[in-house]
């Protein structure tokens, strides 16, 4: 569906964003491994998380959903059963990679597929450690791409695995497999990535230990599910309003109930470094995760340079931060973001190609860096979202803060933020 957006004016009032996508996925998966009912509230009913729901149903888990409330009744840690059909992960890398870890130790066969985008994304990075644990996994293109089949497993063994690149999805897959392995399993991260899996596993009674960047999990006989999980708002969804309110003059907006887990708040750190005025109000614990209301007031930004350890804490927010940088004074350099080339689309190439239509000669990319020269002319443009939800929403706020934008495909936002455009025009 094509969408045309006019230039916007200052944002005022309060906004609520959908439940956290990462926590929604994990709440379904881990609740499915208990044997008592779990009610998940503020669940993100986007396409990616619904892929996880359908996969778990196919594995024999009873799941009832009404809007953003989900009731899950599992059959215990070892109660999953073989699906009668191929599991379709849709566009969701989280669904695929986490379930590969969960199903690698099972005594039955599983085959995964996904949409065109997911079939192009690399899976060797998760297959390698699972194979070292003893899993038998075969796939297209020398075990790198979907479709992928996991053969019935012998007993997996615990390993110590040094991850070459920080990845919450790969780490989570290894930890889930470690629940079933013989002996302890340790993951060594080069930099901290989001830790929702560890927090939720601990809440379900799994034994985990952390020492620096090493996370160790021990095999479990059962998981004890809580009666309820409340999912906080997704900071990745809040990112678009944080940036838009910062760059639109006259803005003063509060984004309610946003998860502020420290492994996810890199965008707040960078925006504040650029000069953004952001306050955390009503900080509290929600479902075992920190949450807060975020008040943001429009401000003048300056270019900055960043990379390294902060990147895993904001990798999904790079397109939105690139928009902020286009309105900053001076040049912004974002290093170590080669991971963006293997997302739903090559996001580095997409940012350069599409964002430069709105602000010509502003964006430049190398193999793993992004350079943004702020303060240049902004014009109305027709842009291609590449069927990438984060590109679509970033282009929307970019156009709204400039002279407007026409998007070829707005429906892709259903992946993570189904009512984004409805809120945008309120």
């Amino acid at each position: 569906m094509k969408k045309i957006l006019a230039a916007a004016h200052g944002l005022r009032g309060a906004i609520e964003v959908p439940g956290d996508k990462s926590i929604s996925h994990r709440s379904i998966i881990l609740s499915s491994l208990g044997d008592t009912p779990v009610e998940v509230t503020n669940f993100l009913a986007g396409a990616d998380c619904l892929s996880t729901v359908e996969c778990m149903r196919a594995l024999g888990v009873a799941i009832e959903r009404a809007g953003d409330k989900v009731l899950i009744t599992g059959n215990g840690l070892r109660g999953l059963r073989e699906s009668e059909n191929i599991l379709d992960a849709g566009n969701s890398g989280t669904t695929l990679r986490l379930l590969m870890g969960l199903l690698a130790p099972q005594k039955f066969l599983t085959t995964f597929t996904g949409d065109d985008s997911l079939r192009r994304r690399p899976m060797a990075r998760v297959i390698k450690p699972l194979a070292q644990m003893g899993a038998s996994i075969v796939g297209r293109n020398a075990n790198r791409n979907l479709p992928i089949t996991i053969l019935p497993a012998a007993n997996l063994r615990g390993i110590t695995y040094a991850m070459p690149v920080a990845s919450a999805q790969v780490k989570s897959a290894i930890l889930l497999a470690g629940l079933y392995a013989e002996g302890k399993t340790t993951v060594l991260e080069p930099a901290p990535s989001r830790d929702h899996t560890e927090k939720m596993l601990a809440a379900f009674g799994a034994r985990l230990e952390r020492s620096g960047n090493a996370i160790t999990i021990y095999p479990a006989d059962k998981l004890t599910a809580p009666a309820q999980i409340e999912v906080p708002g997704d900071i990745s969804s809040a990112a678009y309003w944080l940036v838009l309110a910062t760059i639109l003059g006259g803005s003063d907006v509060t984004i309610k109930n946003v998860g502020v887990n420290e492994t996810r708040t890199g965008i707040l750190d960078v925006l504040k470094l650029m000069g953004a005025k952001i306050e955390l109000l009503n900080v509290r614990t929600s479902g075992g995760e920190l949450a807060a209301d975020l008040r943001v007031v429009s401000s003048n930004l300056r270019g900055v340079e960043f990379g390294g350890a902060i990147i895993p804490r904001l990798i999904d927010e790079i397109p939105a931060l690139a928009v902020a940088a286009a309105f900053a004074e001076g040049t912004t350099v974002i290093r170590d973001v080669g991971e963006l080339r293997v997302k739903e689309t090559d996001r580095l190439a997409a940012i350069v190609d599409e964002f430069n239509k709105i602000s010509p000669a502003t964006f430049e990319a190398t193999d793993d860096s992004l350079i943004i020269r702020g303060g240049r002319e902004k014009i109305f443009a027709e842009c291609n979202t590449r069927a990438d939800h984060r590109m679509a929403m970033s282009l929307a706020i970019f156009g709204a803060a400039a002279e407007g934008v026409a998007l070829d495909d707005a429906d892709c936002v259903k992946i993570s933020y189904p009512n984004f455009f409805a809120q945008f025009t309120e």
Side-chain angles (χ1 to χ4, degrees):
M1 179 184 71
K2 188 171 183 178
K3 175 72 73 172
I4 299 175
L5 297 168
H9 304 289
L11 299 183
R12 312 288 294 187
I15 295 173
E16 293 188 10
V17 297
D20 187 283
K21 185 165 173 274
S22 296
I23 298 173
S24 292
H25 279 296
R26 288 156 175 82
S27 69
I28 298 297
I29 292 170
L30 289 184
S31 296
S32 296
L33 304 181
D35 55 12
T36 56
V38 182
E39 183 184 56
V40 178
T41 59
N42 201 35
F43 172 78
L44 171 61
D48 274 11
C49 295
L50 293 178
S51 291
T52 294
V53 168
E54 291 307 314
C55 286
M56 297 314 298
R57 281 176 172 159
L59 294 165
V61 180
I63 302 177
E64 302 172 30
R65 186 176 69 84
D68 65 356
K69 291 184 179 180
V70 186
L71 183 67
I72 306 107
T73 305
N75 300 310
L77 186 61
R78 288 168 175 80
L80 299 177
R81 66 169 185 247
E82 184 171 284
S83 172
E84 295 179 356
N85 296 299
I86 293 172
L87 296 183
D88 187 352
N91 187 249
S92 178
T94 303
T95 302
L96 176 62
R97 293 190 175 109
L98 269 60
L99 291 190
M100 285 174 65
L102 176 61
L103 297 177
Q106 307 299 328
K107 305 303 182 185
F108 53 76
L109 180 142
T110 303
T111 298
F112 285 101
T113 190
D115 69 4
D116 289 344
S117 171
L118 193 61
R119 287 197 295 273
R120 291 193 298 269
R121 294 175 69 177
M123 295 302 140
R125 61 176 65 184
V126 67
I127 292 173
K128 180 179 178 181
L130 294 176
Q132 287 183 21
M133 297 177 78
S136 298
I137 304 175
V138 294
R140 185 174 59 84
N141 193 16
N143 297 345
R144 289 194 292 268
N145 297 106
L146 290 173
I148 283 170
T149 295
I150 302 175
L151 301 175
N155 292 334
L156 266 59
R157 57 187 175 273
I159 62 170
T160 296
Y161 186 72
M163 294 179 57
V165 177
S167 167
Q169 293 179 1
V170 176
K171 173 181 64 175
S172 297
I174 298 168
L175 294 176
L176 288 170
L179 281 173
Y180 300 85
E182 295 179 350
K184 65 183 182 180
T185 298
T186 300
V187 179
L188 305 173
E189 294 189 281
S193 63
R194 58 186 66 179
D195 63 357
H196 303 302
T197 299
E198 299 97 296
K199 285 184 180 295
M200 196 170 290
L201 278 166
F204 275 70
R207 182 185 171 196
L208 292 100
E209 297 171 355
R210 180 153 202 143
S211 177
N213 284 356
I215 307 102
T216 298
I217 191 166
Y218 292 82
D221 293 324
K222 66 174 294 183
L223 296 181
T224 303
Q228 187 174 61
I229 297 172
E230 181 185 358
V231 180
D234 197 324
I235 196 167
S236 294
S237 296
Y240 307 105
W241 307 116
L242 287 168
V243 169
L244 186 57
T246 295
I247 60 182
L248 272 183
S251 294
D252 185 346
V253 69
T254 299
I255 309 164
K256 308 287 284 186
N257 188 37
V258 179
V260 288
N261 179 309
E262 65 179 7
T263 65
R264 298 283 301 281
T265 52
I267 185 170
L268 301 182
D269 296 340
V270 170
L271 284 175
K272 289 178 179 179
L273 185 65
M274 296 175 77
K277 300 172 184 176
I278 301 171
E279 294 180 85
L280 273 66
L281 308 173
N282 191 24
V283 179
R284 58 205 180 276
T285 299
S286 173
E289 296 270 358
L290 276 180
D293 301 333
L294 305 180
R295 183 187 177 203
V296 55
V297 178
S298 56
S299 55
N300 296 321
L301 300 180
R302 57 184 173 272
V304 296
E305 295 192 18
F306 63 94
I310 199 172
I311 296 301
R313 297 175 55 223
L314 49 63
I315 190 67
D316 287 336
E317 291 76 66
I318 295 295
L321 281 170
V323 173
F327 288 85
E329 180 180 349
T331 298
T332 293
V333 179
I334 308 175
R335 302 183 304 276
D336 308 313
V337 288
E339 176 75 7
L340 291 178
R341 293 202 179 275
V342 292
K343 290 292 188 178
E344 284 84 339
T345 186
D346 180 339
R347 283 189 184 149
L348 280 183
I351 287 170
V352 172
D353 293 346
E354 302 303 327
F355 286 19
N356 273 336
K357 294 176 182 177
I358 297 174
S359 185
T362 293
F363 301 87
E364 177 187 348
T366 67
D367 284 347
D368 70 346
S369 295
L370 185 62
I371 302 102
I372 305 109
R373 297 173 179 86
R376 300 196 173 188
E377 180 187 15
K378 317 291 191 299
I379 59 176
F380 178 89
E382 294 190 3
C383 296
N384 187 330
T385 68
R386 316 287 178 100
D388 183 330
H389 56 129
R390 301 206 188 281
M391 282 297 299
M393 290 182 279
S394 297
L395 284 164
I397 62 168
F398 199 176
E403 299 297 325
V405 66
L407 305 177
D408 70 319
D409 174 19
D411 285 347
C412 58
V413 302
K414 293 176 182 176
I415 291 292
S416 64
Y417 201 155
N419 66 334
F420 174 77
F421 286 108
Q423 283 186 297
F424 205 97
T425 55
E426 286 178 355

